[in-house]
Amino acid sequence: MVERTSYAPGTPNWVDLQSPDVDASRAFYGALFEWAFENAMGDEGEYWMASLRGLPVAAIGGHNPESTPADAPARWNTYLATDRVDDVVAATADAGGMVVLPAFDIPGAGRMAWIADPSGPDAGLWQADGHIGSRRVNEPGAPVWNELITTGLDAALPFYKNVLGIDAVTTQMGDGEYTILRVDGNDVGGATRPPMPGTANHWHVYFAVESAEGAAAKAESLGASVIVAPFDIPTVGRVAVLHDPQGGFFSVLEPANPAGE
């Protein structure tokens, strides 16, 4: 079991799904990852906190009607921890990015904003108060990795360094290169160019599973599509890329060295 109690600034700390059919997405992910749900908004709307063995791991909500058509495909979002969200927002434009949503408070939970890097992908900023983000990570059913996929690495990586202090280290992985994102010397995520033609620039979310084959087969039985069948990444583990029934892309990872081993 890997339980988080805090996140260093610059570390991915939360993921949520925007879906055109919240009930259907809850049913799919609840069955796939054994998540339980509680609506954090009560009568004011829908933002379903997903928990795994009693601790929050992710959330599912609807699209923002002010910015996204209600029937747009689902999408997973990545949030990056910060202890100075207003300063990051203020620095975004000068660093070549764009402020998508100015900072605002969520009482009792934290302060957030939304920014896009110069290559296009957008991400949330989260300054924690009562909610630090995912409390359970790196174990089956929980987030295990966040990856920036973009054709514009040369512009994006300096941006994240400038506004959030995220370091980028390029390493050899298999037959190609891969960029590790680091905070205070710790690996917190990755960055790479799109692995397949037609892949949009975006932040991609991986969830840990006990078996990539088993998770892919279960997801398919629940209505998902297997975009990339399980394959091995040396020293990392076995990965499959999936497309959920509401249109959201995500990956599952069977780690080569599971947490605690």
Side-chain angles (χ1 to χ4, degrees):
M1 183 177 72
V2 180
E3 182 178 341
R4 295 294 299 254
T5 58
S6 64
Y7 286 89
T11 305
N13 67 334
W14 186 240
V15 297
D16 64 16
L17 181 77
Q18 292 174 264
S19 173
D21 189 333
V22 174
D23 289 343
S25 290
R26 287 171 53 212
F28 172 78
Y29 287 100
L32 181 61
F33 293 136
E34 299 183 357
W35 289 349
F37 291 94
E38 181 177 355
N39 188 7
M41 295 185 68
D43 295 333
E44 298 181 7
E46 286 191 290
Y47 191 73
W48 292 88
M49 303 290 282
S51 62
L52 183 67
R53 294 184 292 281
L55 293 176
V57 292
I60 295 176
H63 289 304
N64 182 344
E66 296 180 2
S67 60
T68 308
D71 60 352
R75 55 166 281 178
W76 277 102
N77 300 310
T78 291
Y79 292 74
L80 305 171
T82 177
D83 56 7
R84 50 184 185 88
V85 64
D86 292 277
D87 290 346
V88 176
V89 168
T92 292
D94 287 343
M98 181 176 69
V99 178
V100 179
L101 187 65
F104 64 97
D105 291 320
I106 299 178
R111 186 166 174 80
M112 70 169 288
W114 209 266
I115 61 173
D117 73 46
S119 70
D122 55 349
L125 300 173
W126 185 254
Q127 182 175 325
D129 185 7
H131 173 65
I132 68 160
S134 301
R135 292 284 307 280
R136 197 182 293 283
V137 298
N138 303 347
E139 60 180 276
V144 67
W145 196 244
N146 300 77
E147 184 176 75
L148 175 64
I149 298 177
T150 178
T151 54
L153 285 179
D154 291 345
L157 297 178
F159 171 81
Y160 290 105
K161 173 64 175 178
N162 288 337
V163 301
L164 284 161
I166 302 172
D167 294 315
V169 179
T170 300
T171 185
Q172 195 71 22
M173 184 174 290
D175 296 329
E177 291 185 338
Y178 188 78
T179 299
I180 300 293
L181 303 179
R182 289 181 177 165
V183 170
D184 297 333
N186 297 311
D187 296 352
V188 300
T192 186
R193 290 179 171 81
M196 298 181 292
T199 301
N201 292 353
H202 70 289
W203 275 92
H204 194 72
V205 179
Y206 290 71
F207 295 97
V209 293
E210 292 182 352
S211 165
E213 273 82 1
K218 186 173 184 180
E220 199 167 27
S221 75
L222 294 167
S225 300
V226 178
I227 303 303
V228 180
F231 66 99
D232 291 318
I233 300 178
T235 74
V236 173
R238 195 157 176 78
V239 172
V241 183
L242 306 174
H243 187 224
D244 76 31
Q246 283 65 55
F249 290 93
F250 67 104
S251 291
V252 293
L253 168 64
E254 176 188 339
N257 297 295
E261 294 188 6

